[in-house]
Amino acid sequence: MKMILLRKFRVLILMVFLIACSMHIMIDLLPKLERHGNTGCSCSNTPSEEPQSWGKQGWPNKHTLRILQDFSNEPSSNVSSHSLERIPVTGDKTQALRRLEHLGQRADRKRQFIQDAGMTKNMSVKGSRLSALYDHPLYKISPPPLTEEETLFNVNTDIRFDPKAAEDQAWNTEGTMEEFSPTGELTSDSYPNWLRFHIGINRYELYSRHNPVIDALLKDLVIQRITSVAMKSGGTQLKLIMTFQNYGQALFKPMKQTREQETPPDFFYFSDFERHNAEIAAFHLDKILDFRRVPPVAGRLVNMTKEIRDVTRDKKLWRTFFISPANNVCFYGECSYYCSTEHALCGKPDQIEGSLAAFLPDLALAKRKTWRNPWRRSYHKRKKAEWEVDQDYCEEVKQTPPYDSGTRLLDIMDMTVFDFLMGNMDRHHYETFEKFGNETFIIHLDNGRGFGKHSHDEISILVPLTQCCRVRKSTHLRLQLLAKEEFKLSMLMAESLVRDRLSPILIQPHLDAMDRRLRQVLNVLSECIEKEGYSYVVEDDLEGLQGKDHAHTGPRQR
């Protein structure tokens, strides 16, 4: 009798175990079945149905994550809907804007602040100002011939990027037979655009003036399918690292403020919001100034449900998603500031704007060095930095490496002009590629705190220029050119920014502010030249580019 009961008990235990295994298998398969059966937006359900779909969704499926690389090698450095994958890039801009208005994202926007669409049409009739600018001799100066030591990567033709060896066969959506050599081998033109961008980096620039890869990369940032999302570690505000189907990566900064909102006057610069449209505008401004030191940035409308929540493996991020009382999808992530329910990022219903900045090469492949900006602010409510109280501070800087020789001090002056035109006060560190030593350009990363106030010009940003009175001749001539009516900076920016999918990027007062600030920069340089003399203030870098000797002499002493 006891043996019979024991056998029945064992059979019962086995049945319970089999039932439990079956239930686990069904739970794992349910999300896949729902995704195959549901092709619409996950926010198309009624308010009562939405929480139920979240319960059925569960944790997203596992997939491989590549090593996520930050823009910087130190934690303090920062660089931030509906999917547009089905919208052709060459589609009508008016149709895209109408769709945005239909979603209600700009219904409350003041009409006097929006860039006039008629202005763009008039420019196309009269001819492109940008094309005329890039045809100017100042924008046709070529850098010195590049050697292997002056390129970031030396491409080994024996090692090829082979998409057939990857799990995802859809990495190259535009591949053709022309990308294969006569021997049937892949050519470098078949590499994904993010990789071609990395290969083109050299000692003098992130990318060349007329590199077609940049436009193609900007297009990829908008249309490439997002395969995984994770929060960026470090930083004061929420930023996401997005990986695409072609294995490229970009930094996503979500929209936190409307175009019209200015930084409150009582806000400190270190507690201001980071703006996605500032990142986009900074890339275009940097290109118009011919610096080409900002990684490519494009605006994109992101579906928070399908393109963030459903693909993330970051549990901390996934747990912060919720449905607002207005039935919109929201999340807030984790960061030092503005990551709470009160500062949640909400879509309409699940669409959100954001900027996507292309990643620089992984630090394991191309190391970067982080430098403290000599004119770094105190980041304190009461204390002042040394340069704010010592008018001869620049003399000390010029005696300190790497500012005592080479081009680094002139790079700081370029960055000063760049920041002043944007109104960016948050430039505490900068980076350079370690391979090129001190004789290379400064990478202009993290521009999200620019374009915060169009009604105020922060003169303290220009202190490096007023104290040192130094500038490149090429920079000086280009600034003078952009102050002319036929090459007006605000008009050039408007024409350049209208190409972005989220256009308008800047309201007209911000465009007008750049013209006003440009005149102030030229006035400061004029006063320096009158006080110190042209030969002391203006460093002739054009002669070095035309001749054999490209090196600059060290900073001059009074």
Side-chain angles (χ1 to χ4, degrees), residues 64-272:
T64 303
L65 278 178
R66 59 174 289 185
I67 297 176
L68 302 180
Q69 181 56 58
D70 189 6
F71 260 120
S72 170
N73 55 357
E74 76 165 23
S76 61
S77 180
N78 305 324
V79 189
S80 85
S81 16
H82 193 291
S83 175
L84 294 181
E85 295 173 13
R86 300 180 183 177
I87 302 177
V89 175
T90 56
D92 188 9
K93 179 68 67 174
T94 305
Q95 183 179 358
L97 291 176
R98 287 177 180 175
R99 184 172 186 175
L100 294 179
E101 293 176 358
H102 176 71
L103 292 173
Q105 293 191 356
R106 294 177 183 150
D108 58 342
R109 187 159 298 168
K110 297 180 181 179
R111 295 301 177 183
Q112 64 267 28
F113 284 141
I114 298 182
Q115 298 173 8
D116 187 5
M119 178 184 66
T120 306
K121 295 180 181 179
N122 293 335
M123 285 193 297
S124 61
V125 174
K126 296 179 182 178
S128 170
R129 292 175 183 260
L130 276 177
S131 298
L133 178 74
Y134 295 142
D135 285 338
H136 193 277
L138 283 174
Y139 288 79
K140 291 187 174 182
I141 302 171
S142 300
L146 299 176
T147 64
E148 289 187 357
E149 295 300 321
E150 292 174 327
T151 58
L152 189 61
F153 296 113
N154 299 323
V155 181
N156 189 342
T157 56
D158 294 331
I159 301 176
R160 291 178 170 84
F161 184 89
D162 189 0
K164 294 182 180 180
E167 295 179 3
D168 189 355
Q169 298 294 324
W171 74 274
N172 190 353
T173 57
E174 299 177 355
T176 62
M177 292 303 294
E178 297 177 355
E179 295 174 346
F180 293 85
S181 65
T183 61
E185 295 178 333
L186 288 170
T187 65
S188 59
D189 291 338
S190 66
Y191 292 169
N193 293 311
W194 62 266
L195 183 56
R196 298 170 67 188
F197 161 58
H198 291 174
I199 293 173
I201 299 173
N202 59 66
R203 180 186 296 275
Y204 309 107
E205 57 196 6
L206 275 180
Y207 56 91
S208 58
R209 287 191 187 93
H210 307 294
N211 188 351
V213 173
I214 301 304
D215 288 336
L217 179 56
L218 293 174
K219 175 182 176 182
D220 285 349
L221 293 174
V222 176
I223 68 172
Q224 278 283 324
R225 180 170 60 86
I226 300 170
T227 59
S228 67
V229 177
M231 286 188 294
K232 174 185 175 294
S233 60
T236 58
Q237 300 182 36
L238 178 66
K239 293 172 281 289
L240 302 178
I241 298 173
M242 292 186 169
T243 304
F244 303 112
Q245 63 183 10
N246 66 354
Y247 305 106
Q249 289 185 304
L251 191 71
F252 179 76
K253 289 190 176 182
M255 177 179 179
K256 297 184 178 73
Q257 288 184 312
T258 63
R259 309 290 197 277
E260 301 78 33
Q261 287 180 291
E262 283 195 275
T263 302
D266 293 327
F267 265 43
F268 286 98
Y269 53 87
F270 50 82
S271 60
D272 192 12

Side-chain angles (χ1 to χ4, degrees), residues 292-510:
R292 286 167 283 124
R293 301 165 192 171
V294 175
V297 184
R300 176 168 177 165
L301 273 174
V302 173
N303 187 309
M304 298 165 62
T305 303
K306 291 185 176 181
E307 296 180 309
I308 299 180
R309 191 198 70 182
D310 289 356
V311 298
T312 185
R313 291 298 303 167
D314 191 330
K315 292 184 179 180
K316 293 181 180 179
L317 172 63
W318 189 83
R319 288 168 180 168
T320 64
F321 276 84
F322 64 93
I323 303 297
S324 72
N327 205 33
N328 295 321
V329 178
C330 304
F331 73 101
Y332 52 87
E334 287 188 359
C335 61
S336 302
Y337 296 116
Y338 307 125
C339 283
S340 62
T341 308
E342 294 77 17
H343 298 97
L345 303 169
C346 297
K348 293 185 178 181
D350 61 353
Q351 327 297 320
I352 189 169
E353 287 187 14
S355 65
L356 278 166
F359 259 33
L360 293 175
D362 193 289
L363 290 178
L365 302 175
K367 293 182 179 180
R368 297 192 298 276
K369 187 170 183 179
T370 301
W371 305 80
R372 180 186 174 96
N373 185 0
W375 281 271
R376 180 185 188 272
R377 297 179 183 273
S378 64
Y379 288 83
H380 195 275
K381 298 176 183 178
R382 291 177 295 275
K383 294 181 181 179
K384 289 187 176 182
E386 184 178 352
W387 58 267
E388 295 181 276
V389 296
D390 183 4
Q391 294 302 315
D392 296 326
Y393 178 76
C394 184
E395 296 301 318
E396 299 179 14
V397 173
K398 288 191 292 186
Q399 298 174 14
T400 306
Y403 310 102
D404 58 345
S405 62
T407 62
R408 185 60 57 82
L409 186 65
L410 296 173
D411 290 333
I412 292 290
M413 299 302 111
D414 287 347
M415 187 171 62
T416 297
V417 173
F418 178 60
D419 284 336
F420 180 70
L421 293 176
M422 296 189 299
N424 179 26
M425 302 171 65
D426 186 34
R427 188 71 69 183
H428 44 80
H429 288 80
Y430 64 86
E431 297 183 28
T432 60
F433 287 107
E434 191 173 289
K435 176 180 179 179
F436 303 133
N438 294 337
E439 291 294 330
T440 187
F441 61 92
I442 290 174
I443 309 172
H444 295 166
L445 296 175
D446 190 16
N447 306 295
R449 286 195 169 122
F451 299 103
K453 294 182 180 180
H454 55 73
S455 58
H456 172 72
D457 301 335
E458 185 55 50
I459 302 300
S460 65
I461 301 176
L462 279 180
V463 167
L465 193 62
T466 58
Q467 289 182 350
C468 297
C469 277
R470 296 295 304 283
V471 70
R472 282 187 172 94
K473 183 176 182 179
S474 59
T475 300
H476 189 210
L477 292 177
R478 290 189 186 104
L479 293 177
Q480 291 176 319
L481 182 67
L482 296 174
K484 295 182 178 180
E485 188 64 30
E486 59 268 33
F487 296 110
K488 198 172 183 181
L489 179 58
S490 60
M491 301 293 288
L492 292 169
M493 282 291 290
E495 181 181 349
S496 184
L497 291 172
V498 78
R499 303 175 181 180
D500 192 88
R501 184 61 60 91
L502 298 184
S503 177
I505 302 301
L506 295 177
I507 58 176
Q508 192 61 40
H510 279 301

Side-chain angles (χ1 to χ4, degrees), residues 22-45:
S22 301
M23 292 180 63
H24 279 288
I25 293 173
M26 291 297 297
I27 291 174
D28 288 339
L29 291 177
L30 187 59
K32 293 183 179 180
L33 295 175
E34 287 183 350
R35 289 181 185 179
H36 285 294
N38 183 19
T39 59
C41 175
S42 60
C43 288
S44 60
N45 298 326

Side-chain angles (χ1 to χ4, degrees), residues 1-15:
M1 186 66 181
K2 291 183 179 180
M3 293 297 296
I4 295 175
L5 292 176
L6 181 61
R7 289 178 181 178
K8 289 184 178 181
F9 180 74
R10 289 178 178 177
V11 171
L12 181 62
I13 293 296
L14 180 60
M15 292 180 61

